[in-house]
Amino acid sequence: MSASGGNKAIVAALSANLAIAVMKFIAFALTRSSSMLAEAIHSLADSGNQALLLVGGKRARRQASPEHPFGYGRERYVYAFIVSIVLFSVGGLFALYEAYHKWQDPHPIEGRWWWVPLAVLVGAIIAEAFSFRTAIRESNHTRGKQSWKQFVRTAKAPELPVVLLEDLGALLGLIFALFGVSMTLLTHNGIWDALGTGMIGVLLVFIAVILGMETKSLLLGESATKEDVRRIEAALQEDPDTRIIHLKTLHLGPEELLVAAKITMARSDTGQEIADGINAAEARIRAAVPIATAIYLEPDVFTSKNAQDAGQGTR
């Protein structure tokens, strides 16, 4: 996934959420609906989250330093993890608290502004649907034949999975809010408003937990995709004298891959011949997997033990 594609989806979601948050706060001020307040806070949290993703993307582009010789690519993962915490605390827990408060003191939606929440929610659903469509389009550029579940679980760039889940949560949350408000208006019983608010809270906590688990895995360090590993292996073994003894890969960032391998090489008379073989192998890897920005190859010579290790696929 390109960073520009992710940024396009983030900006679309940020623009929609800021406008929607203002409308929801106005609707809450006019009707005192707890569902509208929970949804307003939800949109405000989403806006902050999208701003965090943009900041993380900018900071990740800093040049490597002596303290961080491999660069700052993983900073995008840090900010995505912060997003999950914000969504859990500000969005989910607040909605659950507001649902409990409204359940203890249910009151119907009354007055001449009763129709405002319905209008705001319908408009918000339309706006969120456009934002969600943008995220889907950008994701499809790199999703390939993966299912959506596989895409969220295996994506190395966190922005699109985060925006996808946030937009999906926003749409479902709006439907829950519309359900709660509509039933409250029909029955004149505020319990329905509290129920809709509680459903929003449970939904946000669930999505936040999923995001937290996936970004934690990225923070710990994930290997290259199976397809990229196969390409690296094929590139190394393109030389008939080369066998792989050990191969390790690690994502330093979404578009930065570390490759470390111990490989067998044909016996050479000079160090220059070994160096030329290593340089040729590195060039083949970069051609096969362009995001392989850091490559460390340890040469070895053919022995019966090495041949056995390579044949067993020791990694």
Side-chain angles (χ1 to χ4, degrees), residues 2 5 27 42 46-47 59 61 80 87 98 121 136 147 166 171-172 178 217 234 245 263 285 295 300:
S2 66
H42 177 191
D46 280 354
S47 299
R59 291 180 61 84
R61 291 192 292 271
L87 190 64
E98 185 62 23
L121 289 171
I136 290 174
S147 67
E166 280 192 344
L171 278 173
L172 292 176
L178 186 61
S217 178
I245 302 173
I263 58 176
I285 291 174
I295 302 174
D300 206 336

Side-chain angles (χ1 to χ4, degrees), residues 64-201:
S65 65
E67 294 80 12
H68 298 88
F70 290 108
Y72 295 84
R74 284 197 186 182
E75 195 140 10
R76 288 165 69 178
Y77 302 151
V78 174
Y79 277 82
F81 188 74
I82 294 174
V83 163
S84 68
I85 296 174
V86 172
L87 190 64
F88 178 84
S89 57
V90 178
L93 294 186
F94 177 83
L96 290 175
Y97 167 78
E98 185 62 23
Y100 173 79
H101 179 72
K102 185 63 177 285
W103 190 275
Q104 295 294 108
D105 181 27
H107 51 270
I109 299 174
E110 298 176 332
R112 61 192 179 111
W113 301 110
W114 62 268
W115 55 271
V116 171
L118 298 177
V120 168
L121 289 171
V122 171
I125 288 174
I126 295 173
E128 286 289 358
F130 278 105
S131 175
F132 191 38
R133 185 183 68 171
T134 300
I136 290 174
R137 283 181 172 178
E138 296 302 321
S139 298
N140 282 334
H141 292 324
T142 54
R143 184 170 66 94
K145 296 181 180 179
Q146 290 180 306
S147 67
W148 287 108
K149 180 180 178 181
Q150 290 174 325
F151 174 72
V152 171
R153 297 200 62 180
T154 62
K156 305 304 181 184
E159 290 83 3
L160 278 180
V162 169
V163 173
L164 276 169
L165 288 176
E166 280 192 344
D167 283 354
L168 177 61
L171 278 173
L172 292 176
L174 288 167
I175 293 172
F176 294 160
L178 186 61
F179 167 77
V181 169
S182 299
M183 291 302 296
T184 299
L185 290 172
L186 289 173
T187 64
H188 298 284
N189 188 342
I191 291 295
W192 291 104
D193 196 17
L195 180 61
T197 307
M199 293 167 66
I200 294 169

